Amino acid sequence: MKYTFPEGFKLGATGAGWQMEGETDKRPDQKHFPHLMWENDRENWYLGLGPDVASDFYGHFREDIPMFRKAGILQYRFNIDWSRFLDDYENVVVNEKAAQYYSDVIDCLIENGIEPVLCLEHWELPAALYEKYDGYASRHVVDLYARYAREAFRRYGDRVKTWFTFNEPMVIPELCFLNGFWWPKEHQPARAFRWIHGKILCTARAVEIFRQELPEGKIGVIVNPPYIIPRDANNPADAEAADVADNFYWRPFMDTAILGHYPQKFLDILQRENVMFDLTEEDKALIAKNTVDILGMNYYQPMRVKAKETPWDDSQPFHPNKYFDNYDMPGKRMNPYRGWEIYPRSLYDIGMRIKREYHNIDWVVSESGMGVQNEEQYKNAEGIIQDTYRIEFIAEHLAWLSKAVAEGCNCHGYWLFASIDNCSPYNTFKNRYGLVEVDRKQNLKRRLKASADWYRAAAESNSFDFKEI
Ligand code: BGP
């Protein structure tokens, strides 16, 4: 069957600053937060590899960007590394070499017929601001972020018309301070929620500044809620469990950014559990006034939940799992390398929910992709990776998305994660995501994968063939 997207819908891809750029030309005191995660927990990073070299996009971008165009990428979302961009975070003194590098990347994208889209943060909080102030838990850091944002808008707003404040603002507070999963491996819920609130304030502040600086442009935030599915929607206990999960994992960034307020149930639970952050009347007014124009939705897998069955001990620090259990659905389809469920239908359900509950805001799928280990085994005689699994993965997600678009949801893009193989947090180069291979055994040599040809054909015709869903 042939699937076609309407005019204006674009295929693109995502690049993540610290996961691709490498740290060439940075001073030792210009570290970002993921560098701290790596430096302090290196033995748990795959082969000890980390963000220092990454894919060295910094050194290869003039070679990479024409390859991105050959792979059909028409829009490219990447980000400024805040820790690289400034020499002095307190006084917003720009590092001119870094500023020139981002300017050159933007020009190179435009010269190659790719629309640049900029994000201000993909977790690259400067290490100094983490160490001195505990990052986004601090209102001073919120101020510094706002000043950094203004400077970035002024530098690149002439050529970049679509901006995002954060990529996945939930991930660091959740995995580092709530779940204790990534360094510094804390279980400090109050701290995690202070970080989340700080990032929500940063988004509102950046939107406010954006309206003054670039009134013609569009600004949004990129979230990864995930999409929550109850074990049995007709069972009230499962439905209630899903509603609590939704209040913690879907609603905080979605509701504040698009509707201009926090979900009440989320605030009530935080109060009850004594982990509430400081929410002033001024904060509420700022959030209400500065909602976004566009939403970026990263989608990898759903979150399945069921009513609480395992015991909960109140002497341990609070966690949302006090109210629900994760549901390991028998027979679910898996990407065995990443250990993530494959469930493309969520893109349709997400589109319909955004249409219904979030005034059908403009949105894009800002990340979707499949990480696969040992891809060299799929090389043909010419050494090209035949990643038919990736083509199928993309096509099936696009098919569900096109159904949502056909039913009136306002999605106008799908950006694959990722343009090029890159450094995942902890998994480093284990799972490969790119349309472009980075061969670490051959001096980071780049080669297009088979999926690049498929993606180009789909991007240029805005259509593709796939089985009926
Ligand atoms: C998202 C990040 C991406 C990328 C992706 C894939 O959370 O925004 O930058 O890392 O996940 O996940 P992973 O790299 O952990 O396999």
Side-chain angles (χ1 to χ4, degrees), residues 19 122-123 167-168 298 300 338 340 367 417 424-425 433:
Q19 291 174 258
H122 197 124
W123 317 339
N167 172 76
E168 301 190 354
N298 290 358
Y300 288 90
R338 188 60 185 82
W340 284 352
E367 278 184 27
F417 190 82
S424 289
Y433 281 92

Side-chain angles (χ1 to χ4, degrees), residues 33 130-131 133-137 173 176-178 183-198 275-277:
F33 184 82
Y130 174 72
E131 282 158 352
Y133 304 111
D134 194 18
Y136 298 101
C176 300
F177 309 125
L178 184 65
W183 182 91
K185 305 190 179 178
E186 303 289 357
H187 296 274
Q188 298 176 332
R191 182 182 182 194
F193 296 118
R194 271 202 305 279
W195 267 63
I196 287 169
H197 183 53
V275 290
M276 181 60 190
F277 48 84

Side-chain angles (χ1 to χ4, degrees), residues 82 129 135-148 194-195 197-206 209 286:
W82 179 4
L129 302 183
Y136 298 101
S138 147
R139 287 187 182 250
H140 178 57
V141 171
V142 173
D143 281 342
L144 295 180
Y145 172 91
R147 296 178 62 196
Y148 152 59
R194 271 202 305 279
W195 267 63
H197 183 53
K199 288 180 147 190
I200 285 170
L201 293 178
C202 286
T203 287
R205 292 282 301 277
I209 294 166
L286 178 82

Side-chain angles (χ1 to χ4, degrees), residues 14-20 77 122-123 167-168 171 175 182 222 224 298 300 338 340 366-371 417-418 422-428 431-433:
T14 289
W18 73 272
Q19 291 174 258
M20 295 180 185
R77 186 264 279 196
H122 197 124
W123 317 339
N167 172 76
E168 301 190 354
V171 167
L175 298 189
W182 289 352
I222 292 170
N224 61 318
N298 290 358
Y300 288 90
R338 188 60 185 82
W340 284 352
S366 38
E367 278 184 27
S368 159
M370 187 181 187
F417 190 82
N422 64 89
C423 166
S424 289
Y426 281 86
N427 284 324
T428 325
N431 298 314
R432 302 306 189 96
Y433 281 92

Side-chain angles (χ1 to χ4, degrees), residues 119-130:
C119 180
L120 290 167
E121 202 252 34
H122 197 124
W123 317 339
E124 298 94 350
L125 169 76
L129 302 183
Y130 174 72

Side-chain angles (χ1 to χ4, degrees), residues 136-181:
Y136 298 101
S138 147
R139 287 187 182 250
H140 178 57
V141 171
V142 173
D143 281 342
L144 295 180
Y145 172 91
R147 296 178 62 196
Y148 152 59
R150 186 187 296 278
E151 189 58 39
F153 299 151
R154 288 190 174 165
R155 291 273 171 157
Y156 308 121
D158 58 337
R159 288 158 288 163
V160 180
K161 303 300 172 198
T162 304
W163 289 74
F164 290 98
T165 57
F166 286 99
N167 172 76
E168 301 190 354
M170 181 75 174
V171 167
I172 297 295
E174 181 190 346
L175 298 189
C176 300
F177 309 125
L178 184 65
N179 292 351
F181 194 55

